[in-house]
Amino acid sequence: MAAEQRLCLSREEIAELTRAHTRAKQLAFLRRNGIRHYVDNAGWPVVTVAAVEGQTGRASTPKPAWNPNKAA
């Protein structure tokens, strides 16, 4: 059976990540640590799995090498 892909962490996982059980403390932790999140209609933080695991879902393209345009 294929592994199930999840989009967001559960409330229990967010509580474990932040080590807080209240909305305000969870939100404060996420903001303080720069973890991307949004707030649902009930006021609870929602964190995507990609925000925690660092997956972008896109193939990264290498940056081109820098070449000066100054004539020497």
Side-chain angles (χ1 to χ4, degrees):
M1 188 163 128
E4 180 181 322
Q5 290 189 354
R6 299 177 305 139
L7 180 61
C8 299
L9 298 178
S10 68
R11 283 193 186 169
E12 292 80 21
E13 290 172 323
I14 294 173
E16 183 179 340
L17 172 70
T18 61
R19 297 191 186 267
H21 294 284
T22 64
R23 290 181 255 192
K25 288 184 180 181
Q26 288 176 359
L27 289 168
F29 176 91
L30 295 170
R31 284 188 201 109
R32 188 172 51 248
N33 290 287
I35 298 173
R36 293 185 58 132
H37 65 282
Y38 65 91
V39 180
D40 67 7
N41 288 338
W44 287 96
V46 178
V47 179
T48 62
V49 172
V52 177
E53 293 181 354
Q55 299 172 352
T56 60
R58 293 182 246 148
S60 61
T61 57
K63 292 184 178 183
W66 179 80
N67 293 319
N69 60 359
K70 181 178 179 182

